[in-house]
Amino acid sequence: MIAGIELGGGKTVVAVSDDDGSLGEQFRFPTTTPHETLATAAEWIAAQGSIAALGIAAFGPVGINRDAPSYGRMLQTPKPGWPDFDLLSALAGPLPGVPLILETDVNAAVLAEVAAGAALACRNAAYITIGTGIGAGLIVDGHILHGDLHSEFGHLNVPRHPDDDYAGFCRYHGDCLEGLACGPSIATRWGKPAHKLPADHPAWDLEAWYLAQGILALLAIASPSRVIIGGGVSQADGFHAKVEARLRDLAHGYFSTLQDHQPYVVPPVLAQNAGIQGALLLACREATRAGTPLG
Amino acid sequence: MIAGIELGGGKTVVAVSDDDGSLGEQFRFPTTTPHETLATAAEWIAAQGSIAALGIAAFGPVGINRDAPSYGRMLQTPKPGWPDFDLLSALAGPLPGVPLILETDVNAAVLAEVAAGAALACRNAAYITIGTGIGAGLIVDGHILHGDLHSEFGHLNVPRHPDDDYAGFCRYHGDCLEGLACGPSIATRWGKPAHKLPADHPAWDLEAWYLAQGILALLAIASPSRVIIGGGVSQADGFHAKVEARLRDLAHGYFSTLQDHQPYVVPPVLAQNAGIQGALLLACREATRAGTPLG
């Protein structure tokens, strides 16, 4: 049996699987303090039986590079109490001997969508989430992309829409992509949260324009063959087609990748389960790598 | 003995090396038609003796993914006569049995700078070149990044400087990064080519501002630990420090990678030889992969 944790800013999901990563029993609870949240997760997992490996998909920024001193720790997250918290040590105590593997939530999500979802068998794919923030996970040339830290896609600078004078919501940069297009920026701009805006509201044209700018940057730098957009804010009818249309406008016929792959911008297949399923897939890999028996 | 070709828009360099990729005999000549250019290169190489492998570092866009039908071909380059030209077939005829490996010029350059230059031993690095165009090569998690095509960094969209109303020079996008910051855009804006503008000319502040925007996008997506800027336009005194200062302004203390790596924006160590040295390193790898004896 393997286990996964999806550690979100608002809620945490834990799950086990007795085979190759498919979703088994799960338990959801609110994310509170780091000690309490990780203890609740570890206690639930320990109660399920013997675990061959545990995959953790965490909000960020978080240290995911095994060779770096920051591996396993939360970094400068704005969430109070969490900066510098050592996630892996907090789990290693109550789950002694269990191999642990840590990734960002969006890297876990893109892994799951490539394994069994909207980017099935793609060697190059991106998963963008739009909610209270904006993030992206990338698989490039068949591998999860880390780099020195990991993608910080939301903090990309993008050109402003010529009719947009909103100051932006990002506490660090004001009008970076996240500042201009995250859920709270929509709510602030239009006086209503995204889920209360009808599909023909002008908010969606502006949102699609900014997302297209962000995806153009992904295309120009990491060249994914498909881009998945998930998260609460992406669920308006026709949103993905609208983003794709704006992206093709911006590309002006350049980028052979766009001509070769249609549709290019798609919704997730695994819906809200991509993160936890990715965590379970990571646990499968880690069990194999560590040589612990799977059942 | 191994051989390399650096195929540039204006000039081509061929070289051989009798050991582990260090630069031996070389020959430079103008790039003309594709048939004539490749024939000249192949003839010079064949005359040097028996070759264990040949690495080619080409301007782009070019098909570098071995699994794709476009592997080995030039793609939609604006250079007349070159689109769809099959580089590898043109070399396989005069150099029968020689294992060939093709990369972009900037991917070859970053490989060389990581092997023996300004990003020595970095697992994550980027090499940007600014000349008649703008391009970037990336090594991420120790591997050359391809994705579906390869980086098209020059065609990234960046915010405009508030005081800049220049239309931009890119034939596809107008004011993408390349359109706003390539050599010809500087010459058109200021009435003089970059190498005639003194280091204290305001052109360099604007140029640094745009490059910093581009590097911020690299940082947000691929997270390099170091960024090298080469190419003819990068050689003004103090240019790299100016770009780094603008980048740190834009980052507003975010991006732990910037805090962990100082200096972050540096000139190449291998100067104009990075591309051809990268081609030779690729040939070394290919000789090993193909199992051909190295001499």
Side-chain angles (χ1 to χ4, degrees), chain B residues 188-211:
Chain B
T188 309
R189 246 202 210 95
W190 305 100
K192 278 185 191 172
H195 69 272
K196 295 210 170 161
L197 297 170
D200 60 354
H201 192 283
W204 296 112
D205 290 326
L206 190 66
E207 184 72 6
W209 194 87
Y210 282 122
L211 264 292

mmCIF file with all atom_site columns, all heavy atoms in Angstrom, chain B residues 188-211:
data_model
loop_
_atom_site.group_PDB
_atom_site.id
_atom_site.type_symbol
_atom_site.label_atom_id
_atom_site.label_alt_id
_atom_site.label_comp_id
_atom_site.label_asym_id
_atom_site.label_entity_id
_atom_site.label_seq_id
_atom_site.pdbx_PDB_ins_code
_atom_site.Cartn_x
_atom_site.Cartn_y
_atom_site.Cartn_z
_atom_site.occupancy
_atom_site.B_iso_or_equiv
_atom_site.pdbx_formal_charge
_atom_site.auth_seq_id
_atom_site.auth_comp_id
_atom_site.auth_asym_id
_atom_site.auth_atom_id
_atom_site.pdbx_PDB_model_num
ATOM 1   N N   . THR B 1 188 ? 17.662 50.908 -35.298 1.00 0.00 ? 188 THR B N   1
ATOM 2   C CA  . THR B 1 188 ? 16.525 51.667 -35.837 1.00 0.00 ? 188 THR B CA  1
ATOM 3   C C   . THR B 1 188 ? 16.073 52.740 -34.855 1.00 0.00 ? 188 THR B C   1
ATOM 4   O O   . THR B 1 188 ? 15.782 53.875 -35.229 1.00 0.00 ? 188 THR B O   1
ATOM 5   C CB  . THR B 1 188 ? 15.346 50.698 -36.123 1.00 0.00 ? 188 THR B CB  1
ATOM 6   O OG1 . THR B 1 188 ? 15.830 49.613 -36.894 1.00 0.00 ? 188 THR B OG1 1
ATOM 7   C CG2 . THR B 1 188 ? 14.236 51.404 -36.877 1.00 0.00 ? 188 THR B CG2 1
ATOM 8   N N   . ARG B 1 189 ? 16.037 52.380 -33.566 1.00 0.00 ? 189 ARG B N   1
ATOM 9   C CA  . ARG B 1 189 ? 15.592 53.339 -32.547 1.00 0.00 ? 189 ARG B CA  1
ATOM 10  C C   . ARG B 1 189 ? 16.528 54.533 -32.405 1.00 0.00 ? 189 ARG B C   1
ATOM 11  O O   . ARG B 1 189 ? 16.088 55.665 -32.294 1.00 0.00 ? 189 ARG B O   1
ATOM 12  C CB  . ARG B 1 189 ? 15.579 52.636 -31.186 1.00 0.00 ? 189 ARG B CB  1
ATOM 13  C CG  . ARG B 1 189 ? 14.248 52.468 -30.582 1.00 0.00 ? 189 ARG B CG  1
ATOM 14  C CD  . ARG B 1 189 ? 14.430 52.274 -29.092 1.00 0.00 ? 189 ARG B CD  1
ATOM 15  N NE  . ARG B 1 189 ? 13.343 51.446 -28.593 1.00 0.00 ? 189 ARG B NE  1
ATOM 16  C CZ  . ARG B 1 189 ? 13.422 50.142 -28.441 1.00 0.00 ? 189 ARG B CZ  1
ATOM 17  N NH1 . ARG B 1 189 ? 14.539 49.496 -28.758 1.00 0.00 ? 189 ARG B NH1 1
ATOM 18  N NH2 . ARG B 1 189 ? 12.404 49.485 -27.973 1.00 0.00 ? 189 ARG B NH2 1
ATOM 19  N N   . TRP B 1 190 ? 17.822 54.254 -32.363 1.00 0.00 ? 190 TRP B N   1
ATOM 20  C CA  . TRP B 1 190 ? 18.786 55.298 -31.980 1.00 0.00 ? 190 TRP B CA  1
ATOM 21  C C   . TRP B 1 190 ? 19.587 55.823 -33.156 1.00 0.00 ? 190 TRP B C   1
ATOM 22  O O   . TRP B 1 190 ? 20.440 56.714 -32.982 1.00 0.00 ? 190 TRP B O   1
ATOM 23  C CB  . TRP B 1 190 ? 19.718 54.776 -30.882 1.00 0.00 ? 190 TRP B CB  1
ATOM 24  C CG  . TRP B 1 190 ? 18.982 54.247 -29.678 1.00 0.00 ? 190 TRP B CG  1
ATOM 25  C CD1 . TRP B 1 190 ? 18.725 52.934 -29.399 1.00 0.00 ? 190 TRP B CD1 1
ATOM 26  C CD2 . TRP B 1 190 ? 18.382 54.996 -28.616 1.00 0.00 ? 190 TRP B CD2 1
ATOM 27  N NE1 . TRP B 1 190 ? 18.013 52.813 -28.233 1.00 0.00 ? 190 TRP B NE1 1
ATOM 28  C CE2 . TRP B 1 190 ? 17.787 54.075 -27.720 1.00 0.00 ? 190 TRP B CE2 1
ATOM 29  C CE3 . TRP B 1 190 ? 18.289 56.378 -28.328 1.00 0.00 ? 190 TRP B CE3 1
ATOM 30  C CZ2 . TRP B 1 190 ? 17.108 54.468 -26.568 1.00 0.00 ? 190 TRP B CZ2 1
ATOM 31  C CZ3 . TRP B 1 190 ? 17.619 56.760 -27.164 1.00 0.00 ? 190 TRP B CZ3 1
ATOM 32  C CH2 . TRP B 1 190 ? 17.033 55.815 -26.310 1.00 0.00 ? 190 TRP B CH2 1
ATOM 33  N N   . GLY B 1 191 ? 19.361 55.264 -34.368 1.00 0.00 ? 191 GLY B N   1
ATOM 34  C CA  . GLY B 1 191 ? 20.053 55.758 -35.559 1.00 0.00 ? 191 GLY B CA  1
ATOM 35  C C   . GLY B 1 191 ? 21.504 55.334 -35.658 1.00 0.00 ? 191 GLY B C   1
ATOM 36  O O   . GLY B 1 191 ? 22.241 55.816 -36.528 1.00 0.00 ? 191 GLY B O   1
ATOM 37  N N   . LYS B 1 192 ? 21.944 54.455 -34.781 1.00 0.00 ? 192 LYS B N   1
ATOM 38  C CA  . LYS B 1 192 ? 23.327 53.959 -34.772 1.00 0.00 ? 192 LYS B CA  1
ATOM 39  C C   . LYS B 1 192 ? 23.329 52.508 -34.318 1.00 0.00 ? 192 LYS B C   1
ATOM 40  O O   . LYS B 1 192 ? 22.554 52.158 -33.428 1.00 0.00 ? 192 LYS B O   1
ATOM 41  C CB  . LYS B 1 192 ? 24.174 54.728 -33.739 1.00 0.00 ? 192 LYS B CB  1
ATOM 42  C CG  . LYS B 1 192 ? 24.702 56.047 -34.184 1.00 0.00 ? 192 LYS B CG  1
ATOM 43  C CD  . LYS B 1 192 ? 25.609 56.603 -33.081 1.00 0.00 ? 192 LYS B CD  1
ATOM 44  C CE  . LYS B 1 192 ? 25.949 58.047 -33.362 1.00 0.00 ? 192 LYS B CE  1
ATOM 45  N NZ  . LYS B 1 192 ? 26.645 58.673 -32.246 1.00 0.00 ? 192 LYS B NZ  1
ATOM 46  N N   . PRO B 1 193 ? 24.217 51.702 -34.864 1.00 0.00 ? 193 PRO B N   1
ATOM 47  C CA  . PRO B 1 193 ? 24.284 50.327 -34.366 1.00 0.00 ? 193 PRO B CA  1
ATOM 48  C C   . PRO B 1 193 ? 24.815 50.286 -32.918 1.00 0.00 ? 193 PRO B C   1
ATOM 49  O O   . PRO B 1 193 ? 25.495 51.218 -32.476 1.00 0.00 ? 193 PRO B O   1
ATOM 50  C CB  . PRO B 1 193 ? 25.264 49.645 -35.319 1.00 0.00 ? 193 PRO B CB  1
ATOM 51  C CG  . PRO B 1 193 ? 26.063 50.748 -35.918 1.00 0.00 ? 193 PRO B CG  1
ATOM 52  C CD  . PRO B 1 193 ? 25.187 51.964 -35.940 1.00 0.00 ? 193 PRO B CD  1
ATOM 53  N N   . ALA B 1 194 ? 24.490 49.212 -32.242 1.00 0.00 ? 194 ALA B N   1
ATOM 54  C CA  . ALA B 1 194 ? 24.817 49.079 -30.820 1.00 0.00 ? 194 ALA B CA  1
ATOM 55  C C   . ALA B 1 194 ? 26.301 49.330 -30.526 1.00 0.00 ? 194 ALA B C   1
ATOM 56  O O   . ALA B 1 194 ? 26.643 49.996 -29.543 1.00 0.00 ? 194 ALA B O   1
ATOM 57  C CB  . ALA B 1 194 ? 24.410 47.685 -30.327 1.00 0.00 ? 194 ALA B CB  1
ATOM 58  N N   . HIS B 1 195 ? 27.184 48.830 -31.379 1.00 0.00 ? 195 HIS B N   1
ATOM 59  C CA  . HIS B 1 195 ? 28.612 48.943 -31.062 1.00 0.00 ? 195 HIS B CA  1
ATOM 60  C C   . HIS B 1 195 ? 29.119 50.378 -31.191 1.00 0.00 ? 195 HIS B C   1
ATOM 61  O O   . HIS B 1 195 ? 30.236 50.683 -30.774 1.00 0.00 ? 195 HIS B O   1
ATOM 62  C CB  . HIS B 1 195 ? 29.448 47.974 -31.925 1.00 0.00 ? 195 HIS B CB  1
ATOM 63  C CG  . HIS B 1 195 ? 29.486 48.331 -33.374 1.00 0.00 ? 195 HIS B CG  1
ATOM 64  N ND1 . HIS B 1 195 ? 28.539 47.887 -34.278 1.00 0.00 ? 195 HIS B ND1 1
ATOM 65  C CD2 . HIS B 1 195 ? 30.352 49.094 -34.084 1.00 0.00 ? 195 HIS B CD2 1
ATOM 66  C CE1 . HIS B 1 195 ? 28.838 48.355 -35.488 1.00 0.00 ? 195 HIS B CE1 1
ATOM 67  N NE2 . HIS B 1 195 ? 29.929 49.089 -35.395 1.00 0.00 ? 195 HIS B NE2 1
ATOM 68  N N   . LYS B 1 196 ? 28.298 51.286 -31.755 1.00 0.00 ? 196 LYS B N   1
ATOM 69  C CA  . LYS B 1 196 ? 28.703 52.697 -31.817 1.00 0.00 ? 196 LYS B CA  1
ATOM 70  C C   . LYS B 1 196 ? 28.074 53.538 -30.709 1.00 0.00 ? 196 LYS B C   1
ATOM 71  O O   . LYS B 1 196 ? 28.282 54.751 -30.649 1.00 0.00 ? 196 LYS B O   1
ATOM 72  C CB  . LYS B 1 196 ? 28.322 53.272 -33.184 1.00 0.00 ? 196 LYS B CB  1
ATOM 73  C CG  . LYS B 1 196 ? 29.094 52.618 -34.329 1.00 0.00 ? 196 LYS B CG  1
ATOM 74  C CD  . LYS B 1 196 ? 29.307 53.559 -35.490 1.00 0.00 ? 196 LYS B CD  1
ATOM 75  C CE  . LYS B 1 196 ? 30.286 52.937 -36.476 1.00 0.00 ? 196 LYS B CE  1
ATOM 76  N NZ  . LYS B 1 196 ? 30.206 53.552 -37.803 1.00 0.00 ? 196 LYS B NZ  1
ATOM 77  N N   . LEU B 1 197 ? 27.290 52.912 -29.845 1.00 0.00 ? 197 LEU B N   1
ATOM 78  C CA  . LEU B 1 197 ? 26.659 53.650 -28.747 1.00 0.00 ? 197 LEU B CA  1
ATOM 79  C C   . LEU B 1 197 ? 27.541 53.538 -27.502 1.00 0.00 ? 197 LEU B C   1
ATOM 80  O O   . LEU B 1 197 ? 27.865 52.431 -27.076 1.00 0.00 ? 197 LEU B O   1
ATOM 81  C CB  . LEU B 1 197 ? 25.274 53.079 -28.445 1.00 0.00 ? 197 LEU B CB  1
ATOM 82  C CG  . LEU B 1 197 ? 24.247 53.196 -29.585 1.00 0.00 ? 197 LEU B CG  1
ATOM 83  C CD1 . LEU B 1 197 ? 22.994 52.376 -29.260 1.00 0.00 ? 197 LEU B CD1 1
ATOM 84  C CD2 . LEU B 1 197 ? 23.869 54.653 -29.835 1.00 0.00 ? 197 LEU B CD2 1
ATOM 85  N N   . PRO B 1 198 ? 27.930 54.678 -26.895 1.00 0.00 ? 198 PRO B N   1
ATOM 86  C CA  . PRO B 1 198 ? 28.786 54.613 -25.700 1.00 0.00 ? 198 PRO B CA  1
ATOM 87  C C   . PRO B 1 198 ? 28.064 53.937 -24.534 1.00 0.00 ? 198 PRO B C   1
ATOM 88  O O   . PRO B 1 198 ? 26.841 53.875 -24.506 1.00 0.00 ? 198 PRO B O   1
ATOM 89  C CB  . PRO B 1 198 ? 29.075 56.088 -25.384 1.00 0.00 ? 198 PRO B CB  1
ATOM 90  C CG  . PRO B 1 198 ? 28.025 56.865 -26.089 1.00 0.00 ? 198 PRO B CG  1
ATOM 91  C CD  . PRO B 1 198 ? 27.594 56.053 -27.282 1.00 0.00 ? 198 PRO B CD  1
ATOM 92  N N   . ALA B 1 199 ? 28.845 53.429 -23.580 1.00 0.00 ? 199 ALA B N   1
ATOM 93  C CA  . ALA B 1 199 ? 28.293 52.651 -22.463 1.00 0.00 ? 199 ALA B CA  1
ATOM 94  C C   . ALA B 1 199 ? 27.333 53.470 -21.607 1.00 0.00 ? 199 ALA B C   1
ATOM 95  O O   . ALA B 1 199 ? 26.489 52.907 -20.910 1.00 0.00 ? 199 ALA B O   1
ATOM 96  C CB  . ALA B 1 199 ? 29.425 52.093 -21.603 1.00 0.00 ? 199 ALA B CB  1
ATOM 97  N N   . ASP B 1 200 ? 27.430 54.827 -21.651 1.00 0.00 ? 200 ASP B N   1
ATOM 98  C CA  . ASP B 1 200 ? 26.509 55.636 -20.844 1.00 0.00 ? 200 ASP B CA  1
ATOM 99  C C   . ASP B 1 200 ? 25.310 56.145 -21.659 1.00 0.00 ? 200 ASP B C   1
ATOM 100 O O   . ASP B 1 200 ? 24.545 56.994 -21.190 1.00 0.00 ? 200 ASP B O   1
ATOM 101 C CB  . ASP B 1 200 ? 27.253 56.817 -20.202 1.00 0.00 ? 200 ASP B CB  1
ATOM 102 C CG  . ASP B 1 200 ? 27.878 57.741 -21.251 1.00 0.00 ? 200 ASP B CG  1
ATOM 103 O OD1 . ASP B 1 200 ? 27.829 57.409 -22.468 1.00 0.00 ? 200 ASP B OD1 1
ATOM 104 O OD2 . ASP B 1 200 ? 28.417 58.792 -20.855 1.00 0.00 ? 200 ASP B OD2 1
ATOM 105 N N   . HIS B 1 201 ? 25.116 55.619 -22.870 1.00 0.00 ? 201 HIS B N   1
ATOM 106 C CA  . HIS B 1 201 ? 23.972 56.022 -23.689 1.00 0.00 ? 201 HIS B CA  1
ATOM 107 C C   . HIS B 1 201 ? 22.684 55.447 -23.098 1.00 0.00 ? 201 HIS B C   1
ATOM 108 O O   . HIS B 1 201 ? 22.679 54.308 -22.620 1.00 0.00 ? 201 HIS B O   1
ATOM 109 C CB  . HIS B 1 201 ? 24.190 55.498 -25.118 1.00 0.00 ? 201 HIS B CB  1
ATOM 110 C CG  . HIS B 1 201 ? 23.242 56.087 -26.120 1.00 0.00 ? 201 HIS B CG  1
ATOM 111 N ND1 . HIS B 1 201 ? 21.940 55.680 -26.241 1.00 0.00 ? 201 HIS B ND1 1
ATOM 112 C CD2 . HIS B 1 201 ? 23.416 57.061 -27.060 1.00 0.00 ? 201 HIS B CD2 1
ATOM 113 C CE1 . HIS B 1 201 ? 21.349 56.371 -27.196 1.00 0.00 ? 201 HIS B CE1 1
ATOM 114 N NE2 . HIS B 1 201 ? 22.220 57.221 -27.715 1.00 0.00 ? 201 HIS B NE2 1
ATOM 115 N N   . PRO B 1 202 ? 21.574 56.213 -23.127 1.00 0.00 ? 202 PRO B N   1
ATOM 116 C CA  . PRO B 1 202 ? 20.313 55.689 -22.556 1.00 0.00 ? 202 PRO B CA  1
ATOM 117 C C   . PRO B 1 202 ? 19.809 54.414 -23.240 1.00 0.00 ? 202 PRO B C   1
ATOM 118 O O   . PRO B 1 202 ? 18.996 53.676 -22.657 1.00 0.00 ? 202 PRO B O   1
ATOM 119 C CB  . PRO B 1 202 ? 19.309 56.839 -22.765 1.00 0.00 ? 202 PRO B CB  1
ATOM 120 C CG  . PRO B 1 202 ? 19.983 57.846 -23.631 1.00 0.00 ? 202 PRO B CG  1
ATOM 121 C CD  . PRO B 1 202 ? 21.455 57.611 -23.542 1.00 0.00 ? 202 PRO B CD  1
ATOM 122 N N   . ALA B 1 203 ? 20.296 54.127 -24.439 1.00 0.00 ? 203 ALA B N   1
ATOM 123 C CA  . ALA B 1 203 ? 19.925 52.876 -25.108 1.00 0.00 ? 203 ALA B CA  1
ATOM 124 C C   . ALA B 1 203 ? 20.186 51.667 -24.216 1.00 0.00 ? 203 ALA B C   1
ATOM 125 O O   . ALA B 1 203 ? 19.413 50.705 -24.216 1.00 0.00 ? 203 ALA B O   1
ATOM 126 C CB  . ALA B 1 203 ? 20.718 52.720 -26.402 1.00 0.00 ? 203 ALA B CB  1
ATOM 127 N N   . TRP B 1 204 ? 21.265 51.721 -23.435 1.00 0.00 ? 204 TRP B N   1
ATOM 128 C CA  . TRP B 1 204 ? 21.642 50.554 -22.629 1.00 0.00 ? 204 TRP B CA  1
ATOM 129 C C   . TRP B 1 204 ? 20.734 50.354 -21.430 1.00 0.00 ? 204 TRP B C   1
ATOM 130 O O   . TRP B 1 204 ? 20.515 49.220 -20.993 1.00 0.00 ? 204 TRP B O   1
ATOM 131 C CB  . TRP B 1 204 ? 23.121 50.640 -22.215 1.00 0.00 ? 204 TRP B CB  1
ATOM 132 C CG  . TRP B 1 204 ? 23.999 50.585 -23.432 1.00 0.00 ? 204 TRP B CG  1
ATOM 133 C CD1 . TRP B 1 204 ? 24.778 51.569 -23.939 1.00 0.00 ? 204 TRP B CD1 1
ATOM 134 C CD2 . TRP B 1 204 ? 24.119 49.480 -24.337 1.00 0.00 ? 204 TRP B CD2 1
ATOM 135 N NE1 . TRP B 1 204 ? 25.394 51.170 -25.103 1.00 0.00 ? 204 TRP B NE1 1
ATOM 136 C CE2 . TRP B 1 204 ? 25.003 49.882 -25.369 1.00 0.00 ? 204 TRP B CE2 1
ATOM 137 C CE3 . TRP B 1 204 ? 23.575 48.206 -24.394 1.00 0.00 ? 204 TRP B CE3 1
ATOM 138 C CZ2 . TRP B 1 204 ? 25.354 49.044 -26.430 1.00 0.00 ? 204 TRP B CZ2 1
ATOM 139 C CZ3 . TRP B 1 204 ? 23.915 47.368 -25.436 1.00 0.00 ? 204 TRP B CZ3 1
ATOM 140 C CH2 . TRP B 1 204 ? 24.799 47.796 -26.445 1.00 0.00 ? 204 TRP B CH2 1
ATOM 141 N N   . ASP B 1 205 ? 20.176 51.464 -20.888 1.00 0.00 ? 205 ASP B N   1
ATOM 142 C CA  . ASP B 1 205 ? 19.204 51.305 -19.801 1.00 0.00 ? 205 ASP B CA  1
ATOM 143 C C   . ASP B 1 205 ? 17.939 50.614 -20.314 1.00 0.00 ? 205 ASP B C   1
ATOM 144 O O   . ASP B 1 205 ? 17.395 49.727 -19.661 1.00 0.00 ? 205 ASP B O   1
ATOM 145 C CB  . ASP B 1 205 ? 18.834 52.677 -19.212 1.00 0.00 ? 205 ASP B CB  1
ATOM 146 C CG  . ASP B 1 205 ? 19.984 53.283 -18.441 1.00 0.00 ? 205 ASP B CG  1
ATOM 147 O OD1 . ASP B 1 205 ? 20.754 52.507 -17.819 1.00 0.00 ? 205 ASP B OD1 1
ATOM 148 O OD2 . ASP B 1 205 ? 20.145 54.519 -18.464 1.00 0.00 ? 205 ASP B OD2 1
ATOM 149 N N   . LEU B 1 206 ? 17.488 51.054 -21.485 1.00 0.00 ? 206 LEU B N   1
ATOM 150 C CA  . LEU B 1 206 ? 16.286 50.450 -22.065 1.00 0.00 ? 206 LEU B CA  1
ATOM 151 C C   . LEU B 1 206 ? 16.534 48.988 -22.413 1.00 0.00 ? 206 LEU B C   1
ATOM 152 O O   . LEU B 1 206 ? 15.708 48.109 -22.117 1.00 0.00 ? 206 LEU B O   1
ATOM 153 C CB  . LEU B 1 206 ? 15.881 51.245 -23.319 1.00 0.00 ? 206 LEU B CB  1
ATOM 154 C CG  . LEU B 1 206 ? 14.521 50.893 -23.911 1.00 0.00 ? 206 LEU B CG  1
ATOM 155 C CD1 . LEU B 1 206 ? 13.400 51.267 -22.953 1.00 0.00 ? 206 LEU B CD1 1
ATOM 156 C CD2 . LEU B 1 206 ? 14.327 51.610 -25.252 1.00 0.00 ? 206 LEU B CD2 1
ATOM 157 N N   . GLU B 1 207 ? 17.692 48.727 -23.024 1.00 0.00 ? 207 GLU B N   1
ATOM 158 C CA  . GLU B 1 207 ? 18.044 47.354 -23.402 1.00 0.00 ? 207 GLU B CA  1
ATOM 159 C C   . GLU B 1 207 ? 18.104 46.453 -22.151 1.00 0.00 ? 207 GLU B C   1
ATOM 160 O O   . GLU B 1 207 ? 17.591 45.334 -22.160 1.00 0.00 ? 207 GLU B O   1
ATOM 161 C CB  . GLU B 1 207 ? 19.400 47.367 -24.123 1.00 0.00 ? 207 GLU B CB  1
ATOM 162 C CG  . GLU B 1 207 ? 19.847 46.029 -24.667 1.00 0.00 ? 207 GLU B CG  1
ATOM 163 C CD  . GLU B 1 207 ? 19.063 45.565 -25.892 1.00 0.00 ? 207 GLU B CD  1
ATOM 164 O OE1 . GLU B 1 207 ? 18.223 46.325 -26.411 1.00 0.00 ? 207 GLU B OE1 1
ATOM 165 O OE2 . GLU B 1 207 ? 19.286 44.418 -26.306 1.00 0.00 ? 207 GLU B OE2 1
ATOM 166 N N   . ALA B 1 208 ? 18.700 46.950 -21.097 1.00 0.00 ? 208 ALA B N   1
ATOM 167 C CA  . ALA B 1 208 ? 18.807 46.169 -19.856 1.00 0.00 ? 208 ALA B CA  1
ATOM 168 C C   . ALA B 1 208 ? 17.423 45.928 -19.253 1.00 0.00 ? 208 ALA B C   1
ATOM 169 O O   . ALA B 1 208 ? 17.142 44.843 -18.722 1.00 0.00 ? 208 ALA B O   1
ATOM 170 C CB  . ALA B 1 208 ? 19.700 46.895 -18.851 1.00 0.00 ? 208 ALA B CB  1
ATOM 171 N N   . TRP B 1 209 ? 16.559 46.920 -19.354 1.00 0.00 ? 209 TRP B N   1
ATOM 172 C CA  . TRP B 1 209 ? 15.198 46.780 -18.817 1.00 0.00 ? 209 TRP B CA  1
ATOM 173 C C   . TRP B 1 209 ? 14.466 45.642 -19.527 1.00 0.00 ? 209 TRP B C   1
ATOM 174 O O   . TRP B 1 209 ? 13.861 44.784 -18.884 1.00 0.00 ? 209 TRP B O   1
ATOM 175 C CB  . TRP B 1 209 ? 14.453 48.110 -18.989 1.00 0.00 ? 209 TRP B CB  1
ATOM 176 C CG  . TRP B 1 209 ? 13.191 48.207 -18.189 1.00 0.00 ? 209 TRP B CG  1
ATOM 177 C CD1 . TRP B 1 209 ? 13.063 48.623 -16.899 1.00 0.00 ? 209 TRP B CD1 1
ATOM 178 C CD2 . TRP B 1 209 ? 11.870 47.879 -18.642 1.00 0.00 ? 209 TRP B CD2 1
ATOM 179 N NE1 . TRP B 1 209 ? 11.739 48.575 -16.525 1.00 0.00 ? 209 TRP B NE1 1
ATOM 180 C CE2 . TRP B 1 209 ? 10.986 48.126 -17.571 1.00 0.00 ? 209 TRP B CE2 1
ATOM 181 C CE3 . TRP B 1 209 ? 11.353 47.414 -19.847 1.00 0.00 ? 209 TRP B CE3 1
ATOM 182 C CZ2 . TRP B 1 209 ? 9.607  47.916 -17.664 1.00 0.00 ? 209 TRP B CZ2 1
ATOM 183 C CZ3 . TRP B 1 209 ? 9.985  47.198 -19.951 1.00 0.00 ? 209 TRP B CZ3 1
ATOM 184 C CH2 . TRP B 1 209 ? 9.123  47.447 -18.864 1.00 0.00 ? 209 TRP B CH2 1
ATOM 185 N N   . TYR B 1 210 ? 14.557 45.623 -20.857 1.00 0.00 ? 210 TYR B N   1
ATOM 186 C CA  . TYR B 1 210 ? 13.877 44.548 -21.603 1.00 0.00 ? 210 TYR B CA  1
ATOM 187 C C   . TYR B 1 210 ? 14.506 43.180 -21.336 1.00 0.00 ? 210 TYR B C   1
ATOM 188 O O   . TYR B 1 210 ? 13.809 42.178 -21.181 1.00 0.00 ? 210 TYR B O   1
ATOM 189 C CB  . TYR B 1 210 ? 13.847 44.855 -23.105 1.00 0.00 ? 210 TYR B CB  1
ATOM 190 C CG  . TYR B 1 210 ? 12.775 45.859 -23.465 1.00 0.00 ? 210 TYR B CG  1
ATOM 191 C CD1 . TYR B 1 210 ? 13.082 47.058 -24.111 1.00 0.00 ? 210 TYR B CD1 1
ATOM 192 C CD2 . TYR B 1 210 ? 11.442 45.611 -23.146 1.00 0.00 ? 210 TYR B CD2 1
ATOM 193 C CE1 . TYR B 1 210 ? 12.099 47.980 -24.428 1.00 0.00 ? 210 TYR B CE1 1
ATOM 194 C CE2 . TYR B 1 210 ? 10.446 46.530 -23.449 1.00 0.00 ? 210 TYR B CE2 1
ATOM 195 C CZ  . TYR B 1 210 ? 10.773 47.715 -24.092 1.00 0.00 ? 210 TYR B CZ  1
ATOM 196 O OH  . TYR B 1 210 ? 9.792  48.616 -24.392 1.00 0.00 ? 210 TYR B OH  1
ATOM 197 N N   . LEU B 1 211 ? 15.819 43.131 -21.289 1.00 0.00 ? 211 LEU B N   1
ATOM 198 C CA  . LEU B 1 211 ? 16.454 41.835 -21.008 1.00 0.00 ? 211 LEU B CA  1
ATOM 199 C C   . LEU B 1 211 ? 16.074 41.331 -19.619 1.00 0.00 ? 211 LEU B C   1
ATOM 200 O O   . LEU B 1 211 ? 15.850 40.137 -19.421 1.00 0.00 ? 211 LEU B O   1
ATOM 201 C CB  . LEU B 1 211 ? 17.973 41.955 -21.155 1.00 0.00 ? 211 LEU B CB  1
ATOM 202 C CG  . LEU B 1 211 ? 18.501 41.512 -22.516 1.00 0.00 ? 211 LEU B CG  1
ATOM 203 C CD1 . LEU B 1 211 ? 18.341 39.994 -22.696 1.00 0.00 ? 211 LEU B CD1 1
ATOM 204 C CD2 . LEU B 1 211 ? 17.832 42.214 -23.678 1.00 0.00 ? 211 LEU B CD2 1
#
